[in-house]
Amino acid sequence: GIQVEQSPPDLILQEGANSTLRCNFSDSVNNLQWFHQNPWGQLINLFYIPSGTKQNGRLSATTVATERYSLLYISSSQTTDSGVYFCAVGEYGNKLVFGAGTILRVKS
Amino acid sequence: DVKVTQSSRYLVKRTGEKVFLECVQDMDHENMFWYRQDPGLGLRLIYFSYDVKMKEKGDIPEGYSVSREKKERFSLILESASTNQTSMYLCASSHIAGGNEQYFGPGTRLTVT
């Protein structure tokens, strides 16, 4: 099956700093999503981005499908950005395969 | 806004009990999914359903069954709960025409003692 690797596994930032999270995947995909898991465990949809670039406020994402990677950019980080960020890709059918996540801690 | 709700945020059950976890979505999505999340193992797919009364096994179906009698509701059943089923359970739904973008419920943290 498809493999999904996220890096870095852990990241500590000072409030106001920028960061880039990476997601590599091993095969062609028809779906790629970025999620933020909040402290209560809920997965919040950030981007649906099988290809191209999208922006939403301080967050943006780029997927280069031909090179099998996606990047999530967080600018001017805030303490509320802390949590776990997951990349998930769509395999055959409707299934999502999740990466192991990046744990982000933003310090004030 | 898509809304996916789960019947309980926290649940404590005893070994051997039959446990029902309910998930409801309000966006007429065809697909619904049940995942579990465990430290060090990430999110793993238990079962999914692409239509009423239809179901397919995911990666870890053992010990679980599901029911989808209505389009908006997808139930996960633990026939005889065991301690190794203590976990966070997450339900999701997606719309075929929306590229199968999945939306998640708030999760149920189940403890089996």
Side-chain angles (χ1 to χ4, degrees), chain A residues 3 10 13-15 17 39 41-42 48 50 57 68 70 76 80 86:
Chain A
Q3 305 296 317
D10 278 281
L13 296 176
Q14 201 63 38
E15 201 169 27
Q42 180 152 16
Y48 169 77
R68 298 181 184 164
S70 183
S76 304
T80 51
F86 288 102

Side-chain angles (χ1 to χ4, degrees), chain A residues 11 32 41 48 50 55-56 59 67 70 81 92:
Chain A
L11 188 57
L32 189 144
Y48 169 77
Q55 178 146 12
N56 184 3
L59 273 59
E67 297 188 21
S70 183
D81 294 331
Y92 62 89

Side-chain angles (χ1 to χ4, degrees), chain A residues 23 42 47 51 56 58 62 66-67 71 84 87 91 101 105:
Chain A
C23 173
Q42 180 152 16
F47 294 101
S51 64
N56 184 3
R58 296 181 296 102
T62 295
T66 52
E67 297 188 21
L71 302 173
V84 186
C87 168
E91 216 177 19
R105 287 176 263 254

Side-chain angles (χ1 to χ4, degrees), chain A residues 1-2 4 24-25 28 38 56 61-62 72-73 76 84-85 89 95-96 103 105:
Chain A
I2 198 164
V4 182
N24 292 333
F25 44 96
S28 301
N38 66 23
N56 184 3
T62 295
L72 177 69
Y73 306 96
S76 304
V84 186
Y85 289 80
V89 303
K95 298 168 60 173
L96 278 182
I103 301 172
R105 287 176 263 254

Side-chain angles (χ1 to χ4, degrees), chain B residues 50-79:
Chain B
Y50 51 89
D51 202 351
V52 176
K53 297 192 187 294
M54 306 303 288
K55 62 184 179 185
E56 281 203 27
K57 294 180 180 179
D59 300 315
I60 51 162
E62 296 79 19
Y64 302 94
S65 61
V66 290
S67 171
R68 194 165 179 203
E69 297 297 317
K70 293 185 177 182
K71 191 175 185 180
E72 67 271 17
R73 188 179 298 269
F74 191 36
S75 302
L76 180 70
I77 304 155
L78 287 65
E79 294 288 344

Side-chain angles (χ1 to χ4, degrees), chain A residues 30-31 33 35 37 39-43 45 47-48 86 93-96 98-100, chain B residues 9 31 33 35 37 43 45 48 50 59 88 90 98-106:
Chain A
N30 57 10
N31 178 3
Q33 294 184 242
F35 297 92
Q37 189 165 40
W40 296 273
Q42 180 152 16
L43 286 169
N45 289 43
F47 294 101
Y48 169 77
F86 288 102
N94 309 311
K95 298 168 60 173
L96 278 182
F98 281 77
Chain B
R9 292 301 303 272
N31 303 317
F33 308 83
Y35 295 86
Q37 184 177 20
L43 277 96
L45 182 65
F48 68 100
Y50 51 89
D59 300 315
M88 176 68 145
L90 292 156
N100 288 312
E101 180 179 4
Q102 290 191 22
Y103 296 86
F104 282 78

